[in-house]
Amino acid sequence: MENNYFISDEQAPKENNGQLIEQSRAQQAASQNTADELKQATAEDTRQLADGLSDTDKAVNADFYEMQQKSQAETEPKLSYHGLNLDALIIHGYDDIPDPIPMLSEEDDSNPVLTRKDISLIVGPAKSRKTTFSLGLAAAMLGKGSLGMRAEAKSCKVLIADTEQNSSYVKVNRQKLYRRMGWDEGEDHPLLTVASLLETDGKKMDWSEFEKEEKLTPARKRQIMLKGLIETIKLDFVVLDGVVDLCDDFNNQSFSLSLVDFLKGLAEKHDCHIISCLHLNKDRKTPRGHLGAIYIQKMQCGFLVEYYDEKLSRVSPLADGCRLKPFKEFYIGVGDDGLPYKVDDATAMALKEKEGKRERATKLIKTVFANNQNTPLTRSSLAKAMVDVSNELSGNDNSMPVKIRTAESYVDEGLKNWGLLVKNGILYSLRGQDDADGVQQDLDFNEENEE
């Protein structure tokens, strides 16, 4: 390695030129001899040589510190416990650990949403457009997204791995992405792989090599399939639609922890990001089972996708589910190509105001029925009771009391559009608790094959 600490012939003053040059050459020769000795020495010898060097020798030898750190790492006693190398768990000062590399960011912000070597989660009730949203993220990673997010890399290899649907459904999702990208659907593009991890009669795998070492469950087979695809294709971004099918029992803490650690290890080792889709529990607030609880603890980002109406869904950061700065909540619609797009800001603002109205109406209606032991009420009785409740609540939450016409409109909306109420003759009752959260989660809507 060239050393810039020595004086060149041109740099030396003329009056002392000869003397300075000789001194410089002597220093350079001595330093080179020291470097040669360091390279040839054992780790212990290197440490002894280091102790004997002067500060000047250390300063002029550019390779010294790097070699000293390496020798220290090699000779320091390893932490061990019954054969376990605990030293591998220690974060040392000389460890070269780079910052996470951003993969996906918000377009109007430098805030990264997803990075390499990590896992994330998409959660939501059935029919909330989770799968559609995941395809939108894949399109964004391929450079043609419309979710208000941009890929940080020029080209990424993407995998869509489906564990739930048959091959014909998976092919439809493939077609949507190929059409968005402008690719020939009859050819396989190197940047996108779409796979079904369902092993059917027409698609049998030879597991004999793996069964020599372990008994394979259907969930374990899917783990091996996913690992094989990631390792052989060298992927950057993986969408796992149906992560629960890779777990032997999503309500078993041991199985769930093992699966999440398995996915985390794949992402770390292969420098990619894995995002999984998972349903919510019946409370429609938390991801399913122990698997969901453990996934939240270890993931980088959580996307909560909620059905809003027959045309739109709301996407928001999952509570306590983002290690980075949370992304801003937004709404998505579905375009003619079957892929999602971000709703413009003006429309989103109007939707948020409407959502605030619905949340307030839900609170009033539920409070009225709770105060009346869920006794059925007429439209006028229910509306009048809502006005009384709003007057009581306004002193506590600084909200404006509602008038009778507003309350009546809440009753009508709660019956027709919000799934809050049921009507029997002239009497109104609160819909069952599973459906009374103010959103029609289980309504069918006109979107082909949406999960």
Side-chain angles (χ1 to χ4, degrees):
M1 177 176 178
E2 183 179 355
N3 200 311
N4 295 323
Y5 290 93
F6 302 113
I7 304 172
S8 67
D9 291 12
E10 291 75 17
Q11 292 172 317
K14 291 182 179 179
E15 59 271 18
N16 296 318
N17 190 47
Q19 181 180 358
L20 289 174
I21 290 175
E22 288 302 321
Q23 292 177 356
S24 175
R25 288 173 177 172
Q27 290 175 353
Q28 189 170 8
S31 177
Q32 184 60 49
N33 291 336
T34 301
D36 292 341
E37 290 174 346
L38 285 169
K39 292 176 182 177
Q40 296 172 6
T42 64
E44 182 59 30
D45 291 338
T46 302
R47 295 185 66 180
Q48 293 178 2
L49 283 169
D51 293 337
L53 289 177
S54 66
D55 291 340
T56 302
D57 290 330
K58 294 177 183 179
V60 299
N61 195 320
D63 294 329
F64 173 76
Y65 287 113
E66 180 180 355
M67 298 180 71
Q68 184 184 35
Q69 289 170 352
K70 183 178 179 181
S71 68
Q72 288 175 348
E74 291 173 349
T75 60
E76 287 175 355
K78 301 292 185 182
L79 295 174
S80 63
Y81 179 75
H82 294 279
L84 296 177
N85 179 17
L86 300 182
D87 193 65
L89 308 178
I90 308 301
I91 305 298
H92 299 286
Y94 50 78
D95 287 339
D96 184 15
I97 303 176
D99 293 333
I101 300 175
M103 294 192 72
L104 193 69
S105 303
E106 292 181 277
E107 286 183 348
D108 58 352
D109 195 349
S110 59
N111 173 38
V113 179
L114 303 176
T115 69
R116 290 185 179 274
K117 299 182 183 294
D118 223 320
I119 60 174
S120 292
L121 190 63
I122 300 171
V123 297
K127 307 297 182 183
S128 60
R129 302 185 176 99
K130 295 188 300 297
T131 295
T132 297
F133 177 69
S134 72
L135 295 177
L137 289 179
M141 293 304 305
L142 292 168
K144 286 198 175 182
S146 51
L147 295 175
M149 297 182 183
R150 68 176 185 276
E152 296 294 348
K154 292 183 178 180
S155 63
C156 287
K157 285 189 177 181
V158 175
L159 168 67
I160 309 291
D162 192 290
T163 69
E164 299 177 336
Q165 308 300 326
N166 59 39
S167 297
S168 61
Y169 168 81
V170 178
K171 185 176 181 180
V172 169
N173 287 335
R174 179 185 183 275
Q175 290 172 337
K176 292 176 182 178
L177 286 169
Y178 267 67
R179 289 168 186 170
R180 168 65 68 88
M181 300 304 298
W183 296 338
D184 184 353
E185 297 176 35
E187 301 290 336
D188 289 332
H189 197 281
L191 293 182
L192 176 63
T193 302
V194 181
S196 170
L197 302 189
L198 278 177
E199 189 177 17
T200 61
D201 291 337
K203 186 178 62 178
K204 286 290 186 182
M205 311 286 284
D206 181 6
W207 296 104
S208 56
E209 182 177 344
F210 296 94
E211 288 175 335
K212 293 177 183 178
E213 300 182 2
E214 61 178 309
K215 183 178 180 180
L216 299 179
T217 63
R220 179 59 182 144
K221 289 180 179 180
R222 294 188 186 101
Q223 292 179 18
I224 295 173
M225 291 179 193
L226 179 67
K227 182 180 180 181
L229 289 169
I230 293 175
E231 288 188 353
T232 56
I233 305 177
K234 311 298 182 185
L235 295 158
D236 300 290
F237 186 70
V238 177
V239 175
L240 180 54
D241 194 355
V243 64
V244 71
D245 290 320
L246 274 69
C247 188
D248 286 299
D249 182 354
F250 64 84
N251 272 323
N252 180 287
Q253 187 170 2
S254 179
F255 286 142
S256 299
L257 179 60
S258 177
L259 174 59
V260 175
D261 283 347
F262 168 77
L263 296 175
K264 190 96 172 174
L266 283 178
E268 174 76 22
K269 179 179 179 181
H270 299 287
D271 196 31
C272 65
H273 193 101
I274 300 175
I275 189 164
S276 304
C277 296
L278 185 64
H279 288 285
L280 289 177
N281 285 318
K282 290 184 178 180
D283 64 4
R284 287 175 177 160
K285 297 178 182 179
T286 55
R288 179 175 290 181
H290 282 293
L291 177 60
I294 293 172
Y295 211 116
I296 285 180
Q297 295 172 9
K298 298 188 176 241
M299 71 185 180
Q300 182 176 69
C301 184
F303 298 87
L304 176 59
V305 183
E306 299 173 284
Y307 176 87
Y308 182 81
D309 60 23
E310 67 277 4
K311 295 182 180 180
L312 301 172
S313 290
R314 178 175 57 190
V315 181
S316 56
L318 187 63
D320 301 322
C322 291
R323 263 188 277 126
L324 302 173
K325 177 184 174 183
F327 61 89
K328 293 183 283 292
E329 177 184 292
F330 59 96
Y331 291 80
I332 59 170
V334 181
D336 294 337
D337 60 0
L339 294 179
Y341 62 89
K342 179 183 177 182
V343 172
D344 63 87
D345 291 341
T347 302
M349 184 64 68
L351 290 172
K352 287 181 180 179
E353 292 177 359
K354 185 177 178 182
E355 184 68 15
K357 170 185 171 183
R358 179 161 65 181
E359 289 175 355
R360 179 157 174 75
T362 299
K363 183 176 182 179
L364 293 175
I365 290 173
K366 287 185 175 181
T367 302
V368 167
F369 279 105
N371 292 344
N372 289 274
Q373 291 77 45
N374 290 324
T375 302
L377 300 170
T378 63
R379 179 175 180 271
S380 60
S381 297
L382 177 55
K384 184 178 183 304
M386 290 171 64
V387 172
D388 294 339
V389 169
S390 74
N391 288 329
E392 295 173 5
L393 294 177
S394 62
N396 298 324
D397 58 13
N398 296 320
S399 60
M400 293 292 293
V402 299
K403 297 182 179 180
I404 189 66
R405 286 191 177 181
T406 300
E408 289 173 346
S409 70
Y410 286 173
V411 174
D412 295 339
E413 291 279 6
L415 176 66
K416 297 177 182 178
N417 298 321
W418 296 342
L420 279 172
L421 300 168
V422 292
K423 186 179 180 184
N424 185 10
I426 63 171
L427 297 177
Y428 290 74
S429 301
L430 189 65
R431 190 179 289 273
Q433 186 61 39
D434 282 350
D435 299 315
D437 61 350
V439 183
Q440 293 186 37
Q441 304 286 12
D442 296 321
L443 288 180
D444 292 328
F445 54 91
N446 295 324
E447 182 179 342
E448 183 180 15
N449 292 324
E450 169 59 22
E451 180 270 342

